[in-house]
Amino acid sequence: MYDLHTHTQFSDGSSLESMVTAAADAGCTGIGLADHCILVDDDFSRRERYDLAETYERRRERIDDARDRFDLRLFDAVELSYVRGTDDQIGAFLEEAAFDYSIGAVHFAEAYDYATGAPYAECPPADRREAVDTYYETVIELIESELFDIAAHLDLPERHPQLRGVTTAAHYEALAAALADSRTKPEINAGRVFRSLGRVHPNPELLDVFVDREIEFVLGSDSHTPDEIGRRVPFLEQFVETNQAVTVDAPAFLETTTELRS
Ligand SMILES: [Zn+2]
Ligand SMILES: [Zn+2]
């Protein structure tokens, strides 16, 4: 399989070579190195840590060098935090950087931080609904922007105990409707299968909503360490095996980008 969502030392992951080695050992035929990237300052001070916009050329040299030493395909990718109102900036950066593909992710929106969980425990239920509604509205804007090849971890707020269960079937329906009209593909994301959430994103119980609209998925372990790849890749392979109705394919965008680069 292709694991299209992993992180290296160029954001918050492990050494690039150790991640590629782990993917090869897990039997992957391709790995996507999709480091975090934030273009604009956010309220949560992640911009400095996630500075791939400044380091992607250095990382590209490392990837090119590793390509000579490994049999599997290495994809030079990005997980870019989508921020409302910055479509032009994101579009210009993606065009200039010319990654093999791009993953768009909503990690924060307005005053809400979905990546760390923020102090939602003190929020009254109405505010939690507002936080979750804002999340899905922003993801739908991400999909409709047509800027990205892949939309990351669709139901991210479910990761946090304080926001879990606030997502409704209507949210999934709205995501599926937007994806059906877009080039952007969702991922089956294994980032929390062995801790907290204990399942993939999006909720496997609601996958029919996407299957009914013939939406294709890609696979991403969202690993930050080699050990995570070793555990999550077999999990994803098993998941695909037991969920035959879910279409998972090596997307067409990978065929063209890699032909151009090889
Ligand atoms: Zn993410
Ligand atoms: Zn990630």
Side-chain angles (χ1 to χ4, degrees):
M1 70 168 244
Y2 287 169
D3 180 354
L4 293 184
H5 188 154
T6 67
H7 297 277
T8 77
Q9 86 262 25
F10 285 87
S11 58
D12 55 353
S14 307
S15 95
L16 196 146
E17 289 75 12
S18 72
M19 296 300 276
V20 177
T21 302
D25 290 349
C28 289
T29 47
I31 177 174
L33 306 155
D35 282 300
H36 289 287
C37 182
I38 300 179
L39 296 182
V40 292
D41 287 323
D42 62 280
D43 294 341
F44 310 100
S45 306
R46 280 195 292 267
R47 165 83 182 78
E48 276 174 35
R49 220 157 27 103
Y50 297 154
D51 62 349
L52 192 71
E54 276 92 55
T55 62
Y56 75 88
E57 284 161 311
R58 257 199 293 137
R59 194 190 65 165
R60 187 158 293 168
E61 286 170 18
R62 286 277 285 270
I63 293 174
D64 280 338
D65 178 58
R67 278 189 177 124
D68 297 335
R69 288 180 287 124
F70 290 93
D71 275 343
L72 71 173
R73 295 172 75 180
L74 270 57
F75 301 111
D76 178 355
V78 63
E79 179 181 11
L80 196 111
S81 287
Y82 180 74
V83 178
R84 275 173 163 171
T86 64
D87 287 23
D88 290 350
Q89 202 176 339
I90 293 170
F93 171 68
L94 289 176
E95 199 176 308
E96 180 201 312
F99 294 106
D100 288 337
Y101 63 87
S102 59
I103 302 176
V106 174
H107 295 116
F108 50 85
E110 297 172 22
Y112 307 113
D113 183 352
Y114 309 104
T116 63
Y120 293 112
E122 290 115 59
C123 281
D127 289 358
R128 290 185 216 182
R129 272 196 303 277
E130 176 70 27
V132 169
D133 284 343
T134 301
Y135 171 83
Y136 289 103
E137 283 162 18
T138 312
V139 176
I140 285 164
E141 284 181 36
L142 177 162
I143 294 164
E144 290 177 345
S145 77
E146 299 292 349
L147 286 165
F148 302 100
D149 298 296
I150 297 170
H153 41 61
L154 286 180
D155 54 357
L156 184 68
E158 287 286 292
R159 218 174 250 201
H160 302 293
Q162 298 141 4
L163 295 179
R164 198 165 298 155
V166 180
T167 297
T168 64
H171 289 127
Y172 292 100
E173 294 280 358
L175 288 173
L179 287 163
D181 290 335
S182 174
R183 75 179 184 97
T184 304
K185 293 183 190 301
E187 57 171 9
I188 302 287
N189 178 302
R192 287 297 182 278
V193 293
F194 295 118
R195 57 186 164 117
S196 65
L197 188 58
R199 65 154 169 83
V200 297
H201 298 284
N203 189 344
E205 286 174 19
L206 285 141
L207 279 173
D208 282 353
V209 170
F210 302 93
V211 170
D212 289 349
R213 290 181 184 265
E214 297 179 351
I215 290 162
E216 280 179 23
F217 285 86
V218 300
L219 300 175
S221 71
D222 209 345
S223 295
H224 294 69
T225 65
D227 172 62
E228 288 171 350
I229 292 184
R231 281 161 27 99
R232 294 175 190 175
V233 164
F235 179 93
L236 282 169
E237 283 173 334
Q238 183 66 42
F239 183 90
V240 172
E241 194 63 34
T242 49
N243 290 273
Q244 294 283 341
V246 178
T247 310
V248 177
D249 219 349
F253 62 76
L254 290 182
E255 303 312 319
T256 41
T257 50
T258 45
E259 261 167 37
L260 286 172
R261 291 179 62 83
S262 58

